[in-house]
Amino acid sequence: MEQRVLGRTGRDVSVVGLGTWQLGADWGDVTESDAFAVLDAAVESGVTIFDTADVYGDGRSEQLIGRYLKDRPDAGIFVATKMGRRAEQLPENYTLDNFRAWNDRSRANLGTDTLDLVQLHCPPPAVIESDAVYDALDTLVDERRIAAYAVSVETCAEALAAIARPGVASVQIILNAFRLKPLEEVLPAARAAGVGIVARVPLASGLLSGKYTKDTVFAADDHRTYNRHGEAFDQGETFSGIDYETGLAAAAEFGELAPEGATAAQTALRWIIQQPGVTTVIPGARSVEQARGNGAAAGLPALPQSTLDAVRDLYDRRLRASVHGRW
Ligand SMILES: NC(=O)c1ccc[n+]([C@@H]2O[C@H](COP(=O)([O-])OP(=O)(O)OC[C@H]3O[C@@H](n4cnc5c(N)ncnc54)[C@H](OP(=O)(O)O)[C@@H]3O)[C@@H](O)[C@H]2O)c1
């Protein structure tokens, strides 16, 4: 699979990675054997970057990855984890002492002395603007607890603030065919600064696959049931912040743009990969079939300009009014 340098980490990662929120919680049950099978399928398809967080399943996602990699020391997998959501979302909790404690736990979960990358996990905006926070992160690098740091953000303004910091290796942001605003300023700024871009929620929580209907029922412990209106965390993380029925109609239209031989989900991933400035896209997968299908998207031919124009038109007509001003 094509590899790209992840910004200031200087490390190569695959253009399609694996999001592992699904291996923790918030998406209904995924058994341990299913989780290992998903990791295997991703690696076999050429994936070399896993995205996780210390809070996914309260550490389960990190622990599963740690155990998986323990048996495969030469797999060459880059693990991007996150910290910051084990405490109340107050700027005063983003201290060096807390960072060290969270870091100790993630290193134990992942079974490594030095984390490849730690991303601040969508912190309050004041944290992204704080010199003291970046000083503390530099200290973690000096202590070799982490090789590099990054910021996962909700809004384009937050992304631009993070990109302006000289030590930030990459920025993680929601970018997909239903969320086009990062194309305007964030991707050009990241390219100019040499900061990597990790595109998350690439399938709009699965909507872009076109497989749901108005009668689809998600599990009670799936955020697509309990966070549709931002009840538990930022609304933008669930279906990209799009009203479900609006999203179904947009997804039906998007599906018609899939080239022969590609699924709608693969088309959605391919669309992201070819946006200038994107380093990697991290779809979450809950099954071996999904992991394989997502990996295969990296090998599809580039989408023609007519498809890119059609995506833009779809967004402008159906979605822009509800999401563009918000994130
Ligand atoms: N704040 C943050 O930093 C943050 C927030 C959100 C996500 N993330 C990261 O980004 C990753 C990706 O985002 P996400 O998982 O929220 O959303 P996503 O990748 O847009 O959607 C994942 C869902 O799409 C469906 N899917 C995946 N592959 C498919 C395929 N090939 N065909 C059909 N359907 C497919 C599955 O739905 P079903 O379960 O219905 O099968 C899966 O649960 C996460 O795993 C996590 O690592 C980070």
Side-chain angles (χ1 to χ4, degrees):
M1 191 186 300
E2 181 189 343
Q3 308 279 311
R4 293 179 186 168
V5 176
L6 181 60
R8 294 176 181 142
T9 69
R11 297 270 304 272
D12 276 345
V13 298
S14 52
V15 288
V16 175
L18 178 71
T20 66
W21 185 10
Q22 282 74 1
L23 309 191
D26 305 314
W27 294 82
D29 274 350
V30 174
T31 66
E32 197 167 298
S33 62
D34 283 349
F36 285 124
V38 165
L39 295 175
D40 252 339
V43 171
E44 278 164 18
S45 74
V47 163
T48 63
I49 174 171
F50 295 163
D51 177 77
T52 184
D54 58 0
V55 285
Y56 293 165
D58 196 24
R60 182 182 190 240
S61 173
E62 283 186 337
Q63 287 161 8
L64 288 168
I65 290 171
R67 281 169 49 203
Y68 180 81
L69 293 179
K70 190 167 179 239
D71 296 335
R72 294 164 187 78
D74 301 322
I77 303 297
F78 183 100
V79 181
T81 191
K82 309 187 197 80
M83 67 175 181
R85 295 216 151 235
R86 291 176 52 71
E88 211 183 328
Q89 291 303 289
L90 301 170
E92 53 267 38
N93 285 333
Y94 286 74
T95 61
L96 180 56
D97 280 350
N98 278 342
F99 286 0
R100 286 190 178 123
W102 298 335
N103 173 267
D104 284 344
R105 185 171 175 273
S106 286
R107 290 187 303 144
N109 283 343
L110 286 164
T112 183
D113 292 335
T114 307
L115 302 178
D116 294 329
L117 185 72
V118 69
Q119 305 162 102
L120 294 180
H121 200 163
C122 294
V127 171
I128 301 175
E129 301 282 359
S130 163
D131 292 346
V133 164
Y134 295 100
D135 289 346
L137 291 168
D138 286 332
T139 301
L140 297 190
V141 174
D142 292 343
E143 293 174 349
R144 301 187 184 214
R145 289 165 166 274
I146 61 174
Y149 59 83
V151 189
S152 183
V153 300
E154 301 289 5
T155 68
C156 289
E158 290 166 6
L160 292 170
I163 289 166
R165 295 287 174 160
V168 169
S170 57
V171 164
Q172 183 180 130
I173 190 166
I174 299 179
L175 168 66
N176 61 45
F178 291 172
R179 184 73 84 86
L180 302 196
K181 193 169 178 185
L183 303 183
E184 291 175 359
E185 290 182 73
V186 173
L187 265 54
R191 277 181 93 189
V195 170
I197 289 287
V198 176
R200 79 165 179 273
V201 195
L203 301 174
S205 312
L207 258 185
L208 276 156
S209 71
K211 67 182 175 182
Y212 309 131
T213 69
K214 66 178 177 35
D215 299 321
T216 301
V217 176
F218 299 94
D221 58 351
D222 186 317
H223 71 102
R224 293 169 295 184
T225 298
Y226 69 75
N227 194 53
R228 284 195 186 189
H229 306 288
E231 295 90 336
F233 44 80
D234 194 281
Q235 189 179 351
E237 305 294 349
T238 301
F239 299 128
S240 280
I242 295 159
D243 159 71
Y244 184 63
E245 303 239 336
T246 305
L248 290 180
E253 198 178 319
F254 179 82
E256 289 166 17
L257 303 175
E260 209 177 319
T263 66
Q266 289 173 324
T267 307
L269 299 178
R270 181 65 239 181
W271 178 89
I272 296 171
I273 292 167
Q274 72 191 71
Q275 303 304 320
V278 168
T279 312
T280 184
V281 57
I282 51 163
R286 282 212 307 174
S287 69
V288 164
E289 293 69 30
Q290 290 179 357
R292 283 196 189 125
N294 295 342
L300 294 175
L303 300 170
Q305 187 60 44
S306 56
T307 303
L308 306 186
D309 293 344
V311 169
R312 165 71 61 184
D313 175 61
L314 190 169
Y315 177 78
D316 286 345
R317 276 185 291 110
R318 291 188 180 271
L319 306 167
R320 173 185 276 271
S322 62
V323 297
H324 207 79
R326 215 163 151 195
W327 290 281

